[in-house]
Amino acid sequence: AADPQAPQAAAVWTPSQKKAFAWLLSQQQDGVFRVPMGGKSYPDPALTGFGLLALQTKPKALRSAEEQAAGAAARGGGPARARRRG
């Protein structure tokens, strides 16, 4: 199987993909996606997982430093890592 993180020879990222990706990236705070409820917002582990997974769809060669940091959070490292209490 091909490595999905391997650099691609001709990575193509359409304008609509760029716009959607920028919006999704803007929705996270310190690597965590939050859910508004009752006038407050709460970190949501499931939404964070899906959000970070979606952010990994952009070819690695095209990601900015901020986007690379989000990737580190998705792999369980870096300062944006969500910590579970209990």
Side-chain angles (χ1 to χ4, degrees), residues 8-59:
Q8 299 176 3
V12 177
W13 204 241
T14 67
S16 61
Q17 286 174 304
K18 290 176 186 176
K19 183 177 179 180
F21 188 88
W23 178 84
L24 184 60
L25 191 61
S26 74
Q27 299 303 303
Q28 69 171 341
Q29 300 172 359
D30 295 326
V32 176
F33 289 84
R34 303 177 72 81
V35 175
M37 192 179 311
K40 296 182 180 181
S41 69
Y42 301 92
D44 187 316
L47 187 59
T48 296
F50 283 121
L52 293 174
L53 181 63
L55 292 174
Q56 295 301 299
T57 62
K58 185 172 186 179

Side-chain angles (χ1 to χ4, degrees), residues 51-78:
L52 293 174
L53 181 63
L55 292 174
Q56 295 301 299
T57 62
K58 185 172 186 179
K60 190 173 185 177
L62 299 179
R63 295 182 201 156
S64 69
E66 181 183 6
E67 295 162 357
Q68 291 288 347
R75 291 185 301 278

